[in-house]
Amino acid sequence: MCGIFGVTGEPDALPLILGALHQLEYRGYDSAGVALVADGGIWRVRAADGTRSVADLSQLTTDHPPPVGHGAGIGHTRWATHGHPTAENAHPHLDCTGRLALVHNGIIENHGALRADLVAGGHIMSSATDTEVMAHLIERHMAAGLSLAEATRAALGLVRGAFSIAVVHADEPDTIVAARRSTPLVLGLRQGVALLASDIPALLGHARQLYALADDEVAVLTPGAISVTTLAGTPVRPEELHIAWDLEAARKDGYEDFMSKEMHEQPGAVAATLLDRRGPDGRLRLDEMRLSPADLRQVDKVCIVACGSSYHAALVAKYAIEHWVKLPTEVDIASEFRYRDPVMTERTLCVGVSQSGETLDTSKAIEEASRLGAKVLVVSNVVDSSMARQADGVLYTRAGPEVGVASTKCHLAQIVALEILGLTLAQIHGTLTPEQIASALNEMDRLPELIEQALRRSSAVDDVAGKLIEARDFFFLGRHVGYPMALEGALKLKELAYLRAEGYAAGELKHGPIALIEPGTVVVGIATRNRLWEKLLSNIAEVHSRGATVVLVADDGDREAAAVADHVLWVPPCSPLLSPVVGVVPLQQLAYRLARLHGHDVDRPRNLAKTVTVE
Ligand code: F6R
């Protein structure tokens, strides 16, 4: 996600801001920028050169330094969501007067309607971002005579979505106004200086006192002082933070590793992926996708290609698309796909799923699909990744950068993005009624809360992991969407805990692998309710009676499942097609805890690379 930094009261702010942006680089970013209030206006510099952008800013500002003597300054590292990663879309964004500059982290859900209204009122937009509308909204309120803080509060009252922002204006040269909703913002103070940042690492060493801004609070920073109000203007005391972290711990937000940080970011990743997908008429609308409804209407077959965890997300989507859209849906391991003779026509929709958007096998697979005439859509977490550029259309998961090698939050976001695609196809093909689509989307809106509940149960998973510390052989069994969940659970255990783990379709076990079941084998069964739940329980009873230790992922209160299990990992229930988004969480936690108990580095498992760009 984007990084934000701001400072006022510092006579030489630019090196401080550039240093902080450098600190924020670890979050992943594609462009960067700085603005200072100087010479009665705004001095601004931006660069869009991928992970070299902050270095470019340093060079640019050495070659063309800002005017001496300036007021407040703000800086930003951008992780693109709306609009390509170009210099024009890099923050800070200005209003029409060029006297206001704003940086933002998050997504403004109603930016389309706000933009249309502002443009109709004569505002000129110079970027494709959702962010820029906020600069112009604040401008509009300042033109009506409000101060920067008052105008910001009024503007934010009109905005839906998630944001943390920092704004400066030439009329109030030493002031920064900051606010947040759903994304973090930390404030800092030292003698004569006030600072803000999107995360703690950027403030370490710069501030003596740190404060957290809460949702819908607005802070006014002036040299050495901070005052905070609600959106309505009522003064509040910000919560003081007592941080004893070093830089490395702070980058992990206090978590022991990136994997646990990223697992805890899953509710936000899913919420962001769901955001802004419906038009004012309530119909699904995938603006960024580039493929038109006419393109999608003529699709008569879907073929999804991916690797690893992305492949497992694709397998879940197969159940959803076939059920909702009644279109034949094939899922292929990307490295196999192009070496057989896949049958595709111009009516085939080939979907490449890749967190990084750079995986060579998947990239070559979509290239082959394109050559065979298929329409190619890419589901990627990285804006303007190679695959996103290569495809006819793109649908972004908005999980933010994933640092841990084992995919967690991106896997869940991929399932959600693919299911949104499934519902969009159902809308276009008329296979579901608007009411059925609305009901599925409403249930999807509950997913962040259900994931949160699942995450809160980690100590119960830790207890089970503690009892399995001697185990060396694991089977993960599932049916229906439980099957890809089983594959994902087994993959996580293999790659993190280095334990032999096979993911299997539970019904297939009796056709061979059941010969391997003996006392000491651990069977992890996915027993969340779907229409094969009873059959799954029979398969589990078969392995239980042969001496396996059985661990079941089951819906809260499911006594029948508990009766055939040695240990149960309880999850809050939800409808079968959405259940992987919640039920995978305890599988991640189990692999995580076993890996830690075995003393392994969960962020950098042996022999693995985060992005595999070789065949
Ligand atoms: C497993 C994992 C990998 C990736 C696979 C594809 O935890 O992370 O299996 O899912 O390498 O990577 P992307 O999605 O970047 O194409």
Side-chain angles (χ1 to χ4, degrees):
M1 288 294 184
C2 304
I4 291 179
F5 185 81
V7 59
T8 180
E10 173 62 54
D12 194 11
L14 186 61
L16 192 70
I17 297 174
L18 290 175
L21 295 187
H22 181 57
Q23 292 284 4
L24 290 166
E25 282 181 310
Y26 78 96
R27 296 160 66 101
Y29 77 114
D30 46 59
S31 49
V34 178
L36 297 171
V37 184
D39 254 0
I42 299 286
W43 175 89
R44 174 178 68 158
V45 59
R46 297 179 292 173
D49 190 12
T51 50
R52 285 182 302 279
S53 301
V54 173
D56 287 359
L57 287 182
S58 298
Q59 192 56 53
L60 283 168
T61 53
T62 307
D63 297 345
H64 306 284
V68 254
H70 53 71
I74 52 178
H76 189 263
T77 52
R78 178 169 186 247
W79 169 267
T81 53
H82 289 76
H84 299 283
T86 58
E88 294 72 42
N89 289 333
H91 303 208
H93 288 288
L94 306 183
D95 65 349
C96 292
T97 69
R99 297 176 62 72
L100 177 149
L102 178 145
V103 290
H104 166 225
N105 174 18
I107 294 172
I108 302 306
E109 206 174 335
N110 57 336
H111 70 100
L114 292 172
R115 174 180 280 260
D117 183 44
L118 286 159
V119 169
H123 286 261
I124 294 167
M125 301 282 165
S126 51
S127 79
T129 63
D130 53 334
T131 300
E132 195 186 349
V133 298
M134 284 190 286
H136 292 269
L137 273 181
I138 299 171
E139 173 191 3
R140 182 186 264 182
H141 285 96
M142 286 188 82
L146 300 186
S147 68
L148 180 59
E150 290 163 342
T152 304
R153 288 199 293 262
L156 292 179
L158 304 171
V159 159
R160 276 203 329 269
F163 55 79
S164 40
I165 60 165
V167 204
V168 291
H169 197 285
D171 288 356
E172 301 176 34
D174 292 317
T175 301
I176 307 177
V177 174
R180 63 151 264 176
R181 181 185 298 156
S182 302
T183 64
L185 200 64
V186 191
L187 312 174
L189 268 184
R190 69 164 195 267
Q191 185 70 37
V193 175
L195 309 101
L196 63 89
S198 48
D199 65 15
I200 293 165
L203 289 185
L204 286 182
H206 296 305
R208 284 184 184 284
Q209 294 139 276
L210 295 180
Y211 302 91
L213 204 60
D215 271 350
D216 283 329
E217 286 182 354
V218 180
V220 178
L221 286 77
T222 48
I226 293 173
S227 64
V228 179
T229 65
T230 61
L231 264 194
T234 312
V236 285
R237 272 172 79 92
E239 178 203 348
E240 185 161 2
L241 299 172
H242 301 280
I243 304 290
W245 300 338
D246 62 14
L247 186 61
E248 191 56 20
R251 283 182 172 176
K252 293 173 187 156
D253 234 356
Y255 291 102
E256 287 182 65
D257 35 64
F258 281 107
M259 183 175 170
S260 18
K261 173 174 182 271
E262 287 161 5
M263 285 195 290
H264 282 87
E265 286 171 348
Q266 294 184 117
V270 165
T273 302
L274 283 167
L275 213 65
D276 197 18
R277 304 296 191 185
R278 270 168 276 189
D281 56 358
R283 283 172 67 80
L284 273 164
R285 195 193 60 183
L286 302 183
D287 288 344
E288 68 200 7
M289 200 163 73
R290 300 202 298 256
L291 291 175
S292 68
D295 289 331
L296 296 179
R297 195 166 296 119
Q298 60 147 2
V299 168
D300 65 3
K301 179 173 119 177
V302 179
C303 169
I304 317 182
V305 289
C307 303
S309 294
S310 301
Y311 170 70
H312 301 154
L315 285 174
V316 173
K318 173 184 167 73
Y319 289 88
I321 296 173
E322 290 188 340
H323 181 70
W324 288 331
V325 203
K326 314 288 180 231
L327 280 179
T329 303
E330 291 172 4
V331 181
D332 253 291
I333 292 173
S335 54
E336 287 296 317
F337 173 82
R338 75 187 167 115
Y339 295 113
R340 55 185 184 83
D341 289 311
V343 180
M344 353 209 85
T345 68
E346 68 285 356
R347 299 186 68 183
T348 305
L349 177 67
C350 175
V351 186
V353 186
S354 174
Q355 176 280 128
S356 58
E358 306 293 340
T359 300
L360 189 81
D361 289 322
T362 315
S363 159
K364 291 291 180 195
I366 61 168
E367 193 178 302
E368 175 67 1
S370 216
R371 195 185 66 77
L372 293 169
K375 291 249 164 344
V376 173
L377 175 74
V378 158
V379 173
S380 165
N381 194 47
V382 178
V383 171
D384 271 5
S385 57
S386 315
M387 284 173 57
R389 280 181 274 120
Q390 192 183 342
D392 300 311
V394 62
L395 184 58
Y396 289 116
T397 50
R398 300 177 187 140
E402 194 174 64
V403 177
V405 165
S407 185
T408 51
K409 60 177 181 171
C410 286
H411 174 67
L412 298 198
Q414 284 169 342
I415 298 173
V416 167
L418 287 166
E419 294 202 343
I420 291 172
L421 172 67
L423 289 173
T424 306
L425 286 168
Q427 176 177 284
I428 289 169
H429 285 248
T431 49
L432 291 180
T433 64
E435 292 72 29
Q436 287 169 317
I437 294 173
S439 140
L441 288 169
N442 289 344
E443 197 175 358
M444 283 175 124
D445 284 339
R446 289 179 51 231
L447 286 172
E449 170 52 29
L450 298 180
I451 300 167
E452 198 81 67
Q453 287 180 29
L455 285 167
R456 282 200 289 266
R457 300 170 183 193
S458 65
S459 59
V461 183
D462 291 351
D463 289 346
V464 174
K467 295 185 177 117
L468 303 178
I469 184 72
E470 302 299 334
R472 291 293 174 273
D473 275 314
F474 289 74
F475 273 94
F476 285 71
L477 302 181
R479 303 190 72 146
H480 193 259
V481 291
Y483 169 46
M485 290 164 72
L487 293 177
E488 178 63 7
L491 176 61
K492 285 285 157 292
L493 194 66
K494 283 187 263 223
E495 65 181 334
L496 295 166
Y498 316 151
L499 290 166
R500 218 166 288 279
E502 280 211 55
Y504 239 88
E508 186 66 8
L509 196 75
K510 58 185 171 299
H511 298 287
I514 198 164
L516 291 170
I517 303 290
E518 58 184 358
T521 312
V522 177
V523 171
V524 182
I526 316 302
T528 44
R529 297 246 176 171
N530 61 42
R531 59 201 170 90
L532 296 181
W533 168 83
E534 275 182 338
K535 292 185 193 297
L536 184 275
L537 287 196
S538 307
N539 300 141
I540 294 297
E542 285 157 20
V543 296
H544 207 207
S545 64
R546 285 165 177 78
T549 302
V550 171
V551 181
L552 288 188
V553 176
D555 291 336
D556 284 342
D558 187 341
R559 293 218 197 111
E560 286 150 278
V564 287
D566 297 293
H567 311 286
V568 183
L569 308 176
W570 298 110
V571 286
C574 63
S575 68
L577 289 172
L578 302 186
S579 63
V581 180
V582 182
V584 161
V585 173
L587 301 177
Q588 297 169 340
Q589 290 169 327
L590 183 68
Y592 172 87
R593 186 48 59 198
L594 278 166
R596 294 288 308 264
L597 289 173
H598 285 286
H600 304 316
D601 179 345
V602 290
D603 285 339
R604 281 177 292 271
R606 70 185 181 200
N607 306 337
L608 293 180
K610 180 72 184 155
T611 304
V612 185
T613 51
V614 289
E615 268 210 74

